[in-house]
Amino acid sequence: MTNAGNLLCIDAGNTFVKWCLHACVNVRFEQPSAFFSHATAEFKPFSGSLSALQQHLAPGLNSTHAVQAVLLSNVLGPDFEQSVRSVCEAAGVPLHVLTVNRHAEIQSAYETPATLGKDRWAACMALSEVSQVKVNLLVSFGTATTVDVVVKNTHWQHLGGFIVPGVETMLRSLNSNTAELPKVQLDSTGTNSWPVSTQQAIGRGVGRIQKAMVDSVAAQLQSEYGSPPAIWLTGGFASAMQTQLPQATLLEYAVFKGLVLDYRLAQKGATA
């Protein structure tokens, strides 16, 4: 397995396309370097909007920023993947696409694994690299809020999970589908007092619904396994929601971390 060159990691999500450089495949991902983020809408149509990616692949082999491989987690469909693949082929850089259930070390119980969101799967992989406990609840606060159960027996297993509207989606929906309700921000303060304004009622109400979803699944897991699960938070609203879930641990850059782990395991398997 070659260690030369950077890994260009791409997290293609519903709201943002994010990418960053990671220095070495054998080094665990901690913090991104050269991090970029653009609204997904700016990349449509995909075929003509990947100039920023092309620029990162342009440096020659003698450059200190030469890219060894591009790693992709994609929830935007085959057109986006094909566009990235075309850019990689033109630059002579291999593309590694995240695939569910590629490795025996971690498996999903999804009936059709290919339909599991790749961002969810990458986050589950990231969790498997850092968790020291058997039962884990992974919550991603993005455009949608996803709640996934990951347990360790003979190997790591994703048992399944839930998808509900995310924080911003809820806030925006109330504003756009009612006559007078304003667009407000999530309010994670004063959770023990009654809201006394419409803004507080919405901002705290949405946060309370999100927290209640997490609490209900955690309670079910405690009942089934006899001890509370470790709760991990990721996604754009993770830090804000941690104030309401103080027992939880932030799992930052989960998709990037999972991508690098997936690639490392694939490279080891290829040379075994």
Side-chain angles (χ1 to χ4, degrees), residues 100-125:
V100 180
N101 286 357
R102 188 197 305 269
H103 312 292
E105 293 90 338
I106 176 168
Q107 293 281 296
S108 174
Y110 243 48
E111 292 180 350
T112 309
T115 64
L116 176 62
K118 302 306 182 291
D119 50 352
R120 291 172 64 191
W121 183 243
C124 288
M125 293 202 66

Side-chain angles (χ1 to χ4, degrees), residues 17 22 51 128 139 150 168 179 188 203 218 230-231:
V17 175
H22 177 62
S51 58
S128 75
V139 187
V150 183
E168 182 67 22
S188 57
I231 301 176

Side-chain angles (χ1 to χ4, degrees), residues 7-243:
L7 301 177
L8 178 58
C9 306
I10 304 175
D11 173 12
N14 292 302
T15 304
F16 291 99
V17 175
K18 295 166 280 189
W19 66 97
C20 70
L21 292 174
H22 177 62
C24 178
V25 63
N26 283 333
V27 176
R28 179 186 291 185
F29 189 108
E30 296 295 344
Q31 295 288 329
S33 61
F35 176 79
F36 301 89
S37 177
H38 290 282
T40 298
E42 297 176 8
F43 284 86
K44 297 179 180 179
F46 299 133
S47 59
S49 56
L50 292 174
S51 58
L53 175 59
Q54 292 172 324
Q55 292 173 6
H56 287 288
L57 299 183
L61 294 178
N62 294 324
S63 170
T64 57
H65 298 291
V67 173
Q68 168 189 339
V70 174
L71 317 185
L72 174 63
S73 168
N74 174 37
V75 301
L76 300 180
D79 288 346
F80 184 84
E81 179 181 328
Q82 183 54 49
S83 295
V84 174
R85 188 175 301 278
S86 296
V87 171
C88 291
E89 289 175 350
V93 177
L95 173 65
H96 173 87
V97 180
L98 185 78
T99 302
V100 180
N101 286 357
R102 188 197 305 269
H103 312 292
E105 293 90 338
I106 176 168
Q107 293 281 296
S108 174
Y110 243 48
E111 292 180 350
T112 309
T115 64
L116 176 62
K118 302 306 182 291
D119 50 352
R120 291 172 64 191
W121 183 243
C124 288
M125 293 202 66
L127 184 154
S128 75
E129 191 172 31
V130 298
S131 177
Q132 301 296 317
V133 301
K134 177 180 179 180
V135 183
N136 299 268
L137 185 56
L138 174 61
V139 187
S140 178
F141 293 105
T143 305
T145 294
T146 59
V147 182
D148 289 289
V149 178
V150 183
V151 300
K152 178 70 177 291
N153 293 307
T154 56
H155 63 276
W156 285 102
Q157 186 173 29
H158 169 247
L159 299 184
F162 301 91
I163 304 174
V164 298
V167 171
E168 182 67 22
T169 303
M170 286 187 173
L171 294 171
R172 187 173 59 249
S173 176
L174 285 173
N175 173 239
S176 61
N177 292 291
T178 60
E180 295 184 346
L181 292 182
K183 176 65 166 62
V184 303
Q185 301 296 314
L186 178 70
D187 185 351
S188 57
T189 63
T191 55
N192 294 323
S193 60
W194 293 109
V196 292
S197 70
T198 299
Q199 286 79 3
Q200 288 181 0
I202 296 171
R204 295 183 192 176
V206 166
R208 188 160 184 157
I209 287 176
Q210 300 282 325
K211 178 181 184 299
M213 180 68 186
V214 179
D215 288 344
S216 69
V217 180
Q220 179 180 343
L221 289 172
Q222 180 165 357
S223 176
E224 291 181 2
Y225 288 92
S227 60
I231 301 176
W232 305 81
L233 308 182
T234 188
F237 281 91
S239 295
M241 286 302 303
Q242 192 180 31
T243 62

